[in-house]
Amino acid sequence: MRARREFRNRRDIEVAVLDALVDRHDEGMTVFELRAAVDADIDTIEEALSALKDESLIVIEEADTRVLIHADERVVPDPSEAVEEDASLFERLRERFGL
């Protein structure tokens, strides 16, 4: 599952982190699970998490001895919503020029 469209206008790493968190919204993820799901080093992921936390797009909870990160409810799409795939560059050019 992917984050709602209105939250996708940000750095690629932040979108990748949000998508991973949305995909595992119910369970949440640790930083190490995020590292496995997102193709970036730990420092880059931590920067992305910091930016997302500053904008209240993620929620951090302590569960037993683990720290779990969840996407905020407003980032998670409603299952009944139609999922729009991002158009490829070719499709956008074709639309723009009416081909």
PDB file of all heavy atoms in Angstrom, residues 1 9 15 18-19 23 25 28 30 33 35 37 39 45 49 63 67 73-74 76 78 82 84 86 88-89 94:
ATOM      1  N   MET A   1       0.854  -1.171   0.000  1.00  0.00           N
ATOM      2  CA  MET A   1       0.000   0.000   0.000  1.00  0.00           C
ATOM      3  C   MET A   1       0.904   1.239   0.000  1.00  0.00           C
ATOM      4  O   MET A   1       2.018   1.207   0.499  1.00  0.00           O
ATOM      5  CB  MET A   1      -0.901  -0.019   1.232  1.00  0.00           C
ATOM      6  CG  MET A   1      -2.034   0.954   1.122  1.00  0.00           C
ATOM      7  SD  MET A   1      -3.210   1.007   2.516  1.00  0.00           S
ATOM      8  CE  MET A   1      -3.323  -0.633   3.117  1.00  0.00           C
ATOM      9  N   ASN A   9       4.530  14.491  -2.011  1.00  0.00           N
ATOM     10  CA  ASN A   9       5.307  15.591  -2.565  1.00  0.00           C
ATOM     11  C   ASN A   9       6.431  15.960  -1.593  1.00  0.00           C
ATOM     12  O   ASN A   9       6.397  17.003  -0.958  1.00  0.00           O
ATOM     13  CB  ASN A   9       4.405  16.796  -2.839  1.00  0.00           C
ATOM     14  CG  ASN A   9       5.131  17.882  -3.574  1.00  0.00           C
ATOM     15  OD1 ASN A   9       6.190  17.650  -4.153  1.00  0.00           O
ATOM     16  ND2 ASN A   9       4.588  19.081  -3.549  1.00  0.00           N
ATOM     17  N   VAL A  15       9.233   9.563   1.138  1.00  0.00           N
ATOM     18  CA  VAL A  15       8.111   8.838   0.536  1.00  0.00           C
ATOM     19  C   VAL A  15       8.302   7.335   0.713  1.00  0.00           C
ATOM     20  O   VAL A  15       7.360   6.612   1.042  1.00  0.00           O
ATOM     21  CB  VAL A  15       7.957   9.204  -0.960  1.00  0.00           C
ATOM     22  CG1 VAL A  15       6.922   8.321  -1.636  1.00  0.00           C
ATOM     23  CG2 VAL A  15       7.580  10.672  -1.110  1.00  0.00           C
ATOM     24  N   LEU A  18       7.482   6.487   4.308  1.00  0.00           N
ATOM     25  CA  LEU A  18       6.029   6.538   4.512  1.00  0.00           C
ATOM     26  C   LEU A  18       5.341   5.327   3.891  1.00  0.00           C
ATOM     27  O   LEU A  18       4.465   4.717   4.511  1.00  0.00           O
ATOM     28  CB  LEU A  18       5.439   7.823   3.928  1.00  0.00           C
ATOM     29  CG  LEU A  18       5.558   9.076   4.771  1.00  0.00           C
ATOM     30  CD1 LEU A  18       4.996  10.274   4.022  1.00  0.00           C
ATOM     31  CD2 LEU A  18       4.875   8.925   6.111  1.00  0.00           C
ATOM     32  N   ASP A  19       5.739   4.967   2.669  1.00  0.00           N
ATOM     33  CA  ASP A  19       5.130   3.805   2.005  1.00  0.00           C
ATOM     34  C   ASP A  19       5.360   2.527   2.812  1.00  0.00           C
ATOM     35  O   ASP A  19       4.445   1.715   2.976  1.00  0.00           O
ATOM     36  CB  ASP A  19       5.676   3.643   0.590  1.00  0.00           C
ATOM     37  CG  ASP A  19       5.112   4.667  -0.383  1.00  0.00           C
ATOM     38  OD1 ASP A  19       4.109   5.330  -0.050  1.00  0.00           O
ATOM     39  OD2 ASP A  19       5.679   4.799  -1.481  1.00  0.00           O
ATOM     40  N   ASP A  23       2.414   0.371   4.617  1.00  0.00           N
ATOM     41  CA  ASP A  23       2.260  -1.051   4.291  1.00  0.00           C
ATOM     42  C   ASP A  23       2.158  -1.909   5.548  1.00  0.00           C
ATOM     43  O   ASP A  23       1.477  -2.925   5.561  1.00  0.00           O
ATOM     44  CB  ASP A  23       3.439  -1.500   3.426  1.00  0.00           C
ATOM     45  CG  ASP A  23       3.157  -2.798   2.712  1.00  0.00           C
ATOM     46  OD1 ASP A  23       2.024  -2.966   2.230  1.00  0.00           O
ATOM     47  OD2 ASP A  23       4.073  -3.643   2.647  1.00  0.00           O
ATOM     48  N   HIS A  25       1.101  -0.664   8.641  1.00  0.00           N
ATOM     49  CA  HIS A  25       0.492   0.302   9.560  1.00  0.00           C
ATOM     50  C   HIS A  25       0.045  -0.330  10.875  1.00  0.00           C
ATOM     51  O   HIS A  25       0.272   0.231  11.945  1.00  0.00           O
ATOM     52  CB  HIS A  25      -0.685   1.000   8.886  1.00  0.00           C
ATOM     53  CG  HIS A  25      -1.380   1.958   9.790  1.00  0.00           C
ATOM     54  ND1 HIS A  25      -0.774   3.099  10.269  1.00  0.00           N
ATOM     55  CD2 HIS A  25      -2.617   1.934  10.348  1.00  0.00           C
ATOM     56  CE1 HIS A  25      -1.607   3.740  11.058  1.00  0.00           C
ATOM     57  NE2 HIS A  25      -2.728   3.052  11.133  1.00  0.00           N
ATOM     58  N   GLY A  28       3.368  -1.632  12.833  1.00  0.00           N
ATOM     59  CA  GLY A  28       4.445  -0.684  13.040  1.00  0.00           C
ATOM     60  C   GLY A  28       5.773  -1.315  12.650  1.00  0.00           C
ATOM     61  O   GLY A  28       5.853  -2.505  12.346  1.00  0.00           O
ATOM     62  N   THR A  30      10.262  -1.180  13.385  1.00  0.00           N
ATOM     63  CA  THR A  30      11.417  -0.650  14.087  1.00  0.00           C
ATOM     64  C   THR A  30      12.308   0.041  13.055  1.00  0.00           C
ATOM     65  O   THR A  30      12.112  -0.106  11.847  1.00  0.00           O
ATOM     66  CB  THR A  30      12.219  -1.773  14.773  1.00  0.00           C
ATOM     67  OG1 THR A  30      12.769  -2.622  13.758  1.00  0.00           O
ATOM     68  CG2 THR A  30      11.362  -2.558  15.750  1.00  0.00           C
ATOM     69  N   GLU A  33      13.834  -2.613  10.873  1.00  0.00           N
ATOM     70  CA  GLU A  33      12.905  -3.141   9.869  1.00  0.00           C
ATOM     71  C   GLU A  33      12.754  -2.147   8.720  1.00  0.00           C
ATOM     72  O   GLU A  33      12.674  -2.540   7.557  1.00  0.00           O
ATOM     73  CB  GLU A  33      11.546  -3.443  10.502  1.00  0.00           C
ATOM     74  CG  GLU A  33      11.585  -4.629  11.442  1.00  0.00           C
ATOM     75  CD  GLU A  33      10.308  -4.786  12.248  1.00  0.00           C
ATOM     76  OE1 GLU A  33       9.642  -3.774  12.566  1.00  0.00           O
ATOM     77  OE2 GLU A  33       9.984  -5.940  12.580  1.00  0.00           O
ATOM     78  N   ARG A  35      15.075  -0.090   7.766  1.00  0.00           N
ATOM     79  CA  ARG A  35      16.337  -0.173   7.038  1.00  0.00           C
ATOM     80  C   ARG A  35      16.298  -1.321   6.033  1.00  0.00           C
ATOM     81  O   ARG A  35      16.794  -1.215   4.925  1.00  0.00           O
ATOM     82  CB  ARG A  35      17.502  -0.355   8.025  1.00  0.00           C
ATOM     83  CG  ARG A  35      18.837  -0.686   7.416  1.00  0.00           C
ATOM     84  CD  ARG A  35      19.324   0.457   6.524  1.00  0.00           C
ATOM     85  NE  ARG A  35      20.569   0.139   5.887  1.00  0.00           N
ATOM     86  CZ  ARG A  35      20.697  -0.359   4.660  1.00  0.00           C
ATOM     87  NH1 ARG A  35      19.642  -0.628   3.942  1.00  0.00           N
ATOM     88  NH2 ARG A  35      21.880  -0.591   4.151  1.00  0.00           N
ATOM     89  N   ALA A  37      13.552  -2.494   4.650  1.00  0.00           N
ATOM     90  CA  ALA A  37      12.507  -2.237   3.657  1.00  0.00           C
ATOM     91  C   ALA A  37      12.845  -1.096   2.707  1.00  0.00           C
ATOM     92  O   ALA A  37      12.343  -1.043   1.590  1.00  0.00           O
ATOM     93  CB  ALA A  37      11.186  -1.935   4.362  1.00  0.00           C
ATOM     94  N   ASP A  39      15.755   1.239   0.732  1.00  0.00           N
ATOM     95  CA  ASP A  39      17.126   1.160   0.234  1.00  0.00           C
ATOM     96  C   ASP A  39      17.878   2.455   0.528  1.00  0.00           C
ATOM     97  O   ASP A  39      18.015   3.311  -0.340  1.00  0.00           O
ATOM     98  CB  ASP A  39      17.109   0.876  -1.271  1.00  0.00           C
ATOM     99  CG  ASP A  39      18.492   0.597  -1.812  1.00  0.00           C
ATOM    100  OD1 ASP A  39      19.347   0.147  -1.030  1.00  0.00           O
ATOM    101  OD2 ASP A  39      18.720   0.841  -3.006  1.00  0.00           O
ATOM    102  N   ILE A  45      17.866   7.394   6.704  1.00  0.00           N
ATOM    103  CA  ILE A  45      16.547   7.015   7.222  1.00  0.00           C
ATOM    104  C   ILE A  45      16.225   7.823   8.478  1.00  0.00           C
ATOM    105  O   ILE A  45      15.101   8.302   8.641  1.00  0.00           O
ATOM    106  CB  ILE A  45      16.480   5.503   7.502  1.00  0.00           C
ATOM    107  CG1 ILE A  45      16.512   4.742   6.170  1.00  0.00           C
ATOM    108  CG2 ILE A  45      15.238   5.138   8.307  1.00  0.00           C
ATOM    109  CD1 ILE A  45      16.645   3.249   6.311  1.00  0.00           C
ATOM    110  N   LEU A  49      13.070  10.227   9.059  1.00  0.00           N
ATOM    111  CA  LEU A  49      12.169  10.054  10.202  1.00  0.00           C
ATOM    112  C   LEU A  49      12.035  11.345  11.003  1.00  0.00           C
ATOM    113  O   LEU A  49      10.939  11.699  11.437  1.00  0.00           O
ATOM    114  CB  LEU A  49      12.660   8.923  11.112  1.00  0.00           C
ATOM    115  CG  LEU A  49      12.483   7.512  10.576  1.00  0.00           C
ATOM    116  CD1 LEU A  49      13.211   6.514  11.463  1.00  0.00           C
ATOM    117  CD2 LEU A  49      11.017   7.155  10.422  1.00  0.00           C
ATOM    118  N   ALA A  63       6.751  -0.160  22.820  1.00  0.00           N
ATOM    119  CA  ALA A  63       6.017  -1.389  23.099  1.00  0.00           C
ATOM    120  C   ALA A  63       7.017  -2.386  23.686  1.00  0.00           C
ATOM    121  O   ALA A  63       7.943  -2.808  22.996  1.00  0.00           O
ATOM    122  CB  ALA A  63       5.389  -1.944  21.829  1.00  0.00           C
ATOM    123  N   VAL A  67      10.897   0.072  20.172  1.00  0.00           N
ATOM    124  CA  VAL A  67      10.309   1.339  19.750  1.00  0.00           C
ATOM    125  C   VAL A  67       9.729   1.098  18.359  1.00  0.00           C
ATOM    126  O   VAL A  67      10.449   0.713  17.435  1.00  0.00           O
ATOM    127  CB  VAL A  67      11.351   2.471  19.718  1.00  0.00           C
ATOM    128  CG1 VAL A  67      10.747   3.726  19.143  1.00  0.00           C
ATOM    129  CG2 VAL A  67      11.901   2.717  21.112  1.00  0.00           C
ATOM    130  N   GLU A  73      -2.496   8.330  11.032  1.00  0.00           N
ATOM    131  CA  GLU A  73      -3.750   7.891  10.400  1.00  0.00           C
ATOM    132  C   GLU A  73      -4.078   8.660   9.115  1.00  0.00           C
ATOM    133  O   GLU A  73      -4.609   8.099   8.167  1.00  0.00           O
ATOM    134  CB  GLU A  73      -4.919   8.029  11.382  1.00  0.00           C
ATOM    135  CG  GLU A  73      -4.901   7.044  12.505  1.00  0.00           C
ATOM    136  CD  GLU A  73      -5.112   5.606  12.049  1.00  0.00           C
ATOM    137  OE1 GLU A  73      -5.859   5.379  11.076  1.00  0.00           O
ATOM    138  OE2 GLU A  73      -4.513   4.718  12.672  1.00  0.00           O
ATOM    139  N   ARG A  74      -3.779   9.948   9.084  1.00  0.00           N
ATOM    140  CA  ARG A  74      -4.144  10.741   7.899  1.00  0.00           C
ATOM    141  C   ARG A  74      -3.300  10.412   6.687  1.00  0.00           C
ATOM    142  O   ARG A  74      -3.658  10.752   5.564  1.00  0.00           O
ATOM    143  CB  ARG A  74      -4.085  12.233   8.206  1.00  0.00           C
ATOM    144  CG  ARG A  74      -2.734  12.734   8.592  1.00  0.00           C
ATOM    145  CD  ARG A  74      -2.809  14.134   9.186  1.00  0.00           C
ATOM    146  NE  ARG A  74      -1.541  14.453   9.803  1.00  0.00           N
ATOM    147  CZ  ARG A  74      -0.728  15.383   9.373  1.00  0.00           C
ATOM    148  NH1 ARG A  74      -1.081  16.134   8.360  1.00  0.00           N
ATOM    149  NH2 ARG A  74       0.413  15.585   9.968  1.00  0.00           N
ATOM    150  N   VAL A  76      -2.471   7.180   5.932  1.00  0.00           N
ATOM    151  CA  VAL A  76      -2.921   5.870   5.478  1.00  0.00           C
ATOM    152  C   VAL A  76      -4.190   6.030   4.648  1.00  0.00           C
ATOM    153  O   VAL A  76      -5.174   6.584   5.117  1.00  0.00           O
ATOM    154  CB  VAL A  76      -3.185   4.941   6.685  1.00  0.00           C
ATOM    155  CG1 VAL A  76      -3.652   3.575   6.214  1.00  0.00           C
ATOM    156  CG2 VAL A  76      -1.950   4.842   7.557  1.00  0.00           C
ATOM    157  N   ASP A  78      -7.707   5.206   2.847  1.00  0.00           N
ATOM    158  CA  ASP A  78      -8.880   4.405   3.159  1.00  0.00           C
ATOM    159  C   ASP A  78      -8.911   3.228   2.190  1.00  0.00           C
ATOM    160  O   ASP A  78      -8.720   3.426   0.985  1.00  0.00           O
ATOM    161  CB  ASP A  78     -10.130   5.279   3.006  1.00  0.00           C
ATOM    162  CG  ASP A  78     -11.390   4.569   3.410  1.00  0.00           C
ATOM    163  OD1 ASP A  78     -11.313   3.492   4.024  1.00  0.00           O
ATOM    164  OD2 ASP A  78     -12.476   5.097   3.101  1.00  0.00           O
ATOM    165  N   ALA A  82      -9.830   4.506  -4.329  1.00  0.00           N
ATOM    166  CA  ALA A  82      -9.157   3.975  -5.509  1.00  0.00           C
ATOM    167  C   ALA A  82      -7.698   4.405  -5.447  1.00  0.00           C
ATOM    168  O   ALA A  82      -7.398   5.566  -5.220  1.00  0.00           O
ATOM    169  CB  ALA A  82      -9.806   4.498  -6.776  1.00  0.00           C
ATOM    170  N   GLU A  84      -4.456   5.453  -7.019  1.00  0.00           N
ATOM    171  CA  GLU A  84      -3.964   5.992  -8.281  1.00  0.00           C
ATOM    172  C   GLU A  84      -2.476   5.758  -8.358  1.00  0.00           C
ATOM    173  O   GLU A  84      -1.732   6.155  -7.484  1.00  0.00           O
ATOM    174  CB  GLU A  84      -4.213   7.501  -8.357  1.00  0.00           C
ATOM    175  CG  GLU A  84      -5.569   7.873  -8.827  1.00  0.00           C
ATOM    176  CD  GLU A  84      -5.665   9.371  -9.018  1.00  0.00           C
ATOM    177  OE1 GLU A  84      -4.724   9.974  -9.571  1.00  0.00           O
ATOM    178  OE2 GLU A  84      -6.672   9.923  -8.601  1.00  0.00           O
ATOM    179  N   ASP A  86       1.155   6.524  -9.861  1.00  0.00           N
ATOM    180  CA  ASP A  86       1.816   7.679 -10.443  1.00  0.00           C
ATOM    181  C   ASP A  86       2.081   7.399 -11.907  1.00  0.00           C
ATOM    182  O   ASP A  86       2.536   6.311 -12.280  1.00  0.00           O
ATOM    183  CB  ASP A  86       3.141   7.975  -9.731  1.00  0.00           C
ATOM    184  CG  ASP A  86       2.919   8.498  -8.330  1.00  0.00           C
ATOM    185  OD1 ASP A  86       1.857   9.078  -8.081  1.00  0.00           O
ATOM    186  OD2 ASP A  86       3.834   8.333  -7.503  1.00  0.00           O
ATOM    187  N   SER A  88       3.862   7.402 -15.461  1.00  0.00           N
ATOM    188  CA  SER A  88       5.257   7.395 -15.869  1.00  0.00           C
ATOM    189  C   SER A  88       5.557   8.678 -16.629  1.00  0.00           C
ATOM    190  O   SER A  88       4.658   9.400 -17.051  1.00  0.00           O
ATOM    191  CB  SER A  88       5.549   6.180 -16.755  1.00  0.00           C
ATOM    192  OG  SER A  88       4.906   6.334 -18.005  1.00  0.00           O
ATOM    193  N   LEU A  89       6.814   8.962 -16.810  1.00  0.00           N
ATOM    194  CA  LEU A  89       7.226  10.154 -17.543  1.00  0.00           C
ATOM    195  C   LEU A  89       6.626  10.142 -18.943  1.00  0.00           C
ATOM    196  O   LEU A  89       6.110  11.146 -19.419  1.00  0.00           O
ATOM    197  CB  LEU A  89       8.753  10.237 -17.607  1.00  0.00           C
ATOM    198  CG  LEU A  89       9.320  11.387 -18.435  1.00  0.00           C
ATOM    199  CD1 LEU A  89       8.875  12.720 -17.857  1.00  0.00           C
ATOM    200  CD2 LEU A  89      10.825  11.301 -18.503  1.00  0.00           C
ATOM    201  N   ARG A  94       2.803  12.257 -22.898  1.00  0.00           N
ATOM    202  CA  ARG A  94       1.743  11.946 -23.856  1.00  0.00           C
ATOM    203  C   ARG A  94       0.481  12.739 -23.543  1.00  0.00           C
ATOM    204  O   ARG A  94      -0.160  13.298 -24.425  1.00  0.00           O
ATOM    205  CB  ARG A  94       1.461  10.448 -23.851  1.00  0.00           C
ATOM    206  CG  ARG A  94       0.510  10.022 -24.960  1.00  0.00           C
ATOM    207  CD  ARG A  94       0.385   8.543 -25.040  1.00  0.00           C
ATOM    208  NE  ARG A  94       0.007   8.023 -23.744  1.00  0.00           N
ATOM    209  CZ  ARG A  94      -0.100   6.734 -23.473  1.00  0.00           C
ATOM    210  NH1 ARG A  94       0.149   5.849 -24.392  1.00  0.00           N
ATOM    211  NH2 ARG A  94      -0.459   6.333 -22.292  1.00  0.00           N
TER     212      ARG A  94
END
